[in-house]
Amino acid sequence: MSKRGVLPVLLMSLLVLSGCERVVNVSGLDYEPRLVVEARLERERGVASADQVIRLSVTQDVFSTAAATAARGATVRVLDDANRATLFAESPREPGTYRAAAMALPVGRALTLEIEWEGDRYRATEIMQPGVAMDSLFFRAEFDEVDTGRNWRASISVKDPGDQRNFYLWDQWIDGRRLVSPDSEEFSRVVQSDDRFNGSTVRQFQPYSDWLVSSGQLVRVRQLAISEQSFRFYTALSAQVGNNGSPFGVPISSVRGNVANITTPSRRAVGYFIAGEYTDLERRVP
């Protein structure tokens, strides 16, 4: 092509490229603040009662970097299926944190959470789930790895009861640091149903297989029994927070919890109310 032919082509290319440019201004998104409920009633298996904590906060603006605002001055109580109420008192040192001492949590009983805050009344009901004991806690490499002693993960063995469906949630601490917490690197709860191993012994299950442990570290694993509804909630929530935007990711959507706003149904709370027994195992890495 001659120089005379090249110049018009370059000019046309520049015009096309400049025509594709567009400045987009993103303004602040309007939103309605919602109550955030962190209500996880749990009791160690075999223990009659335990102290309980419920935390209430308020959702923040999408682009906010401020700490969550505590929901102060709420009335919080939990009723059993005999209509006996346990009141939760707000901590004077921790605004938005509500506590109840030595609360009895009988397995199989319905528990109803009631919250009154800023003119709205919220409610959620769960059945107290029976816990399943872990058999052992030990440290191994993953199944497809050569065990070098430097690639160990916390591993557990569990005998799942065969007479009922069970749903599990696991937590793990390393040297006192909880792996899943606000602003932690790990942001997905590990949950599982027993559909594939009902009545069987599960050996060398590694709830947090991405986390290596080192000699001398103190590791604690907690196995909490949850309801099927709780399992479905955490499964959906994990799919959303783990969405990387790829073509194979799940569609973006809100995940609805079980805390309903009785006063204004369209303004539901964010979060979930859970009740279940747990078992803990703790061991230092050799």
Side-chain angles (χ1 to χ4, degrees):
M1 182 182 293
S2 66
K3 291 183 179 179
R4 291 182 179 180
V6 171
L7 185 58
V9 171
L10 289 175
L11 291 173
M12 288 297 295
S13 299
L14 290 172
L15 289 172
V16 170
L17 290 174
S18 63
C20 294
E21 293 180 1
R22 182 181 179 184
V23 178
V24 178
N25 294 317
V26 180
S27 60
L29 301 176
D30 293 331
Y31 83 104
E32 184 181 30
R34 299 290 182 96
L35 180 67
V36 180
V37 179
E38 298 177 62
R40 180 168 149 177
L41 304 186
E42 52 187 10
R43 171 180 55 75
E44 188 171 5
R45 188 170 181 261
V47 177
S49 62
D51 296 346
Q52 302 298 328
V53 178
I54 293 175
R55 292 182 172 87
L56 304 179
S57 58
V58 184
T59 56
Q60 302 292 312
D61 183 85
V62 173
F63 301 108
S64 174
T65 58
T69 302
R72 305 184 183 200
T75 300
V76 181
R77 65 177 184 168
V78 173
L79 297 89
D80 63 16
D81 49 12
N83 213 34
R84 291 184 292 260
T86 299
L87 297 177
F88 283 68
E90 186 171 10
S91 169
R93 290 185 242 178
E94 300 175 86
T97 299
Y98 300 79
R99 300 181 181 275
M103 184 177 178
L105 297 170
V107 166
R109 304 287 290 273
L111 299 170
T112 299
L113 169 67
E114 291 188 348
I115 301 170
E116 294 180 16
W117 181 70
E118 293 197 345
D120 281 350
R121 187 176 182 183
Y122 300 83
R123 182 182 297 154
T125 300
E126 267 280 63
I127 304 296
M128 181 68 183
Q129 300 297 310
V132 176
M134 290 181 287
D135 297 328
S136 60
L137 168 63
F138 52 98
F139 308 101
R140 293 287 186 277
E142 289 190 290
F143 284 106
D144 58 350
E145 291 183 338
V146 176
D147 194 332
T148 64
R150 296 188 299 274
N151 56 351
W152 285 353
R153 282 89 168 167
S155 310
I156 59 173
S157 290
V158 180
K159 176 65 172 72
D160 178 76
D163 58 349
Q164 63 186 28
R165 294 187 73 195
N166 293 284
F167 301 88
Y168 302 96
L169 180 150
W170 288 276
D171 269 326
Q172 185 170 314
W173 291 259
I174 298 177
D175 287 337
R177 177 175 172 265
R178 194 175 194 168
L179 298 188
V180 180
S181 61
D183 299 322
S184 63
E185 297 175 43
E186 188 71 45
F187 46 78
S188 293
R189 295 284 182 190
V190 179
V191 295
Q192 186 62 266
S193 72
D194 68 352
D195 289 347
R196 296 184 179 180
F197 54 85
N198 184 44
S200 302
T201 298
V202 179
R203 298 180 175 85
Q204 199 173 328
F205 174 61
Q206 299 171 336
Y208 291 89
S209 58
D210 291 339
W211 287 83
L212 298 177
V213 294
S214 304
S215 178
Q217 288 184 320
L218 184 64
V219 177
R220 176 159 60 105
V221 175
R222 173 168 296 181
Q223 177 175 278
L224 175 69
I226 61 175
S227 65
E228 181 176 0
Q229 293 76 14
S230 303
F231 166 74
R232 294 183 183 279
F233 169 79
Y234 276 112
T235 300
L237 183 63
S238 294
Q240 288 295 323
V241 299
N243 195 345
N244 60 7
S246 74
F248 305 103
V250 298
I252 297 175
S253 64
S254 60
V255 180
R256 176 175 289 193
N258 64 345
V259 185
N261 187 327
I262 306 302
T263 308
T264 312
S266 62
R267 192 164 60 233
R268 294 181 66 93
V270 178
Y272 211 90
F273 173 49
I274 290 177
E277 286 186 316
Y278 69 86
T279 55
D280 272 0
L281 288 178
E282 187 175 73
R283 187 180 175 190
R284 196 168 294 278
V285 182

